[in-house]
Amino acid sequence: MSIEGNLNRIKEKLGKSTKLVAISKTKTLAQVMECYNAGQRIFGENKVQELVAKFEALPKDIEWHLVGHLQGNKVKFVAPFVSLIHSVDSLKLLQEINKQGEKCHRVISCLLQIYIAVEETKFGLDEEEAFSLLESEAFKQLKNIRIMGVMGMATNTDHQEQIQSEFRKLKQFSEKLIHTFASGLHPFSQISMGMSNDYEIAIQEGSTLIRVGSSIFGER
Ligand SMILES: *Cc1c(COP(=O)(O)O)cnc(C)c1O
């Protein structure tokens, strides 16, 4: 199917409260433009260099999200334009984002990446680490970041119940964070979960941002 056909098929499944982030990593500018011309405006990349190159080359009304692991020394390249960083997994990284946000007079929106999968390799904070980060004095001093919510990646498995229970866990954790920490500055209302193989479950479980690549653009 065409990129436009794929996009429309996914958009039909989005409820009122879920948005689609089209993950364009490894795809060409022409492919991104095809998706843009079909109406998509939110795109995500997992590598800083590729994100910057695409931002520079493509229309300026695109909202660019960073979804991959971010190294501190690369924050400065995305700070001037990034709309949402999905993958914050330490106070140290948050401090660097804050510092770079200050330099370009921006408040940068971020999600805390929470560890929900059984796999050992996935990045993220566990619930306890997220709580202690948010309770710390150092966090309270950061004025150039805004925590919009949480992000999680389910275990890569065909086992639907497993995925569902991991997404459910993230939703419950999100509710706990909202209850404890939400404010005008840190609304915490966003839940980024769901990729090509599990976005339908994620929508059911309350995702507000699904991150879909190969189901739109084809296999990488
Ligand atoms: C690549 C990637 C996606 C999209 O994966 P697909 O399976 O192609 O939909 C989503 N989130 C992150 C963090 C990714 O790196």
Side-chain angles (χ1 to χ4, degrees), residues 21-25 27 44-47 66-69 86-87 113 151-153 192 194-199 210-220:
V21 184
I23 305 298
S24 51
K25 64 190 187 198
K27 300 297 171 181
E45 289 285 334
N46 73 333
K47 293 208 168 79
L66 184 71
V67 300
H69 184 65
H86 289 234
S87 44
Q113 183 167 351
M151 181 271 231
M153 285 168 89
S192 166
M195 306 174 28
S196 287
N197 64 348
D198 56 20
Y199 70 86
I210 56 170
R211 310 177 310 271
V212 179
S214 44
S215 287
I216 299 173
F217 295 102
E219 292 300 323
R220 287 179 295 272

Side-chain angles (χ1 to χ4, degrees), residues 15 36 38 59 109 155 187 198 200:
Y36 176 92
S109 293
T155 302
D198 56 20
E200 290 175 81

Side-chain angles (χ1 to χ4, degrees), residues 2 12 24 32 37 49-50 63 71-72 80 87 92 95 99 107-108 127 148 151 160 169-170 185 189 208 217:
S2 66
E12 276 168 20
S24 51
V32 181
N37 288 330
Q49 206 177 353
E50 201 175 339
E63 193 180 294
Q71 284 174 289
S87 44
K92 198 163 161 243
Q95 286 170 320
K99 183 175 145 194
V107 175
I108 299 177
E127 299 190 3
M148 303 300 289
M151 181 271 231
Q160 305 278 305
K169 206 164 76 180
L170 186 60
L185 195 59
S189 52
T208 67
F217 295 102

Side-chain angles (χ1 to χ4, degrees), residues 143-194:
K143 304 294 181 219
N144 289 74
I145 52 105
R146 177 181 292 125
I147 305 290
M148 303 300 289
V150 292
M151 181 271 231
M153 285 168 89
T155 302
N156 187 7
T157 172
D158 290 331
H159 198 245
Q160 305 278 305
E161 287 83 43
Q162 168 90 31
I163 296 170
Q164 186 178 46
S165 95
E166 290 173 2
F167 285 158
R168 207 162 272 185
K169 206 164 76 180
L170 186 60
K171 168 76 177 168
Q172 281 166 3
F173 184 57
S174 153
E175 283 166 356
K176 206 156 115 187
L177 287 180
I178 290 170
H179 183 73
T180 317
F181 299 104
S183 67
L185 195 59
H186 303 292
F188 272 108
S189 52
Q190 301 296 317
I191 307 175
S192 166
M193 60 184 187

Side-chain angles (χ1 to χ4, degrees), residues 28-174:
T28 63
L29 297 177
Q31 287 170 308
V32 181
M33 275 313 291
E34 199 175 327
C35 194
Y36 176 92
N37 288 330
Q40 181 65 20
R41 291 295 180 272
I42 310 176
F43 290 89
E45 289 285 334
N46 73 333
K47 293 208 168 79
V48 166
Q49 206 177 353
E50 201 175 339
L51 178 66
V52 171
K54 283 181 175 149
F55 162 73
E56 285 173 355
L58 291 165
K60 290 298 171 283
D61 62 340
I62 292 177
E63 193 180 294
W64 286 105
H65 292 199
L66 184 71
V67 300
H69 184 65
L70 176 59
Q71 284 174 289
N73 61 359
K74 297 200 172 154
V75 174
K76 58 177 176 287
F77 301 117
V78 300
F81 70 90
V82 72
S83 289
L84 184 64
I85 299 174
H86 289 234
S87 44
V88 174
D89 61 359
S90 71
L91 176 62
K92 198 163 161 243
L93 180 59
L94 210 47
Q95 286 170 320
E96 180 61 22
I97 297 169
N98 185 74
K99 183 175 145 194
Q100 298 302 330
E102 206 175 333
K103 277 193 190 163
C104 46
H105 310 287
R106 295 187 72 213
V107 175
I108 299 177
S109 293
C110 299
L111 302 177
L112 295 181
Q113 183 167 351
I114 307 297
Y115 187 86
I116 55 171
V118 292
E119 291 152 56
E120 284 295 329
T121 53
K122 300 257 159 95
F123 293 105
L125 299 159
D126 65 28
E127 299 190 3
E128 205 178 321
E129 288 166 338
F131 256 78
S132 58
L133 186 161
L134 295 168
E135 282 164 346
S136 70
E137 277 313 310
F139 171 74
K140 288 172 193 158
Q141 285 163 18
L142 307 179
K143 304 294 181 219
N144 289 74
I145 52 105
R146 177 181 292 125
I147 305 290
M148 303 300 289
V150 292
M151 181 271 231
M153 285 168 89
T155 302
N156 187 7
T157 172
D158 290 331
H159 198 245
Q160 305 278 305
E161 287 83 43
Q162 168 90 31
I163 296 170
Q164 186 178 46
S165 95
E166 290 173 2
F167 285 158
R168 207 162 272 185
K169 206 164 76 180
L170 186 60
K171 168 76 177 168
Q172 281 166 3
F173 184 57
S174 153

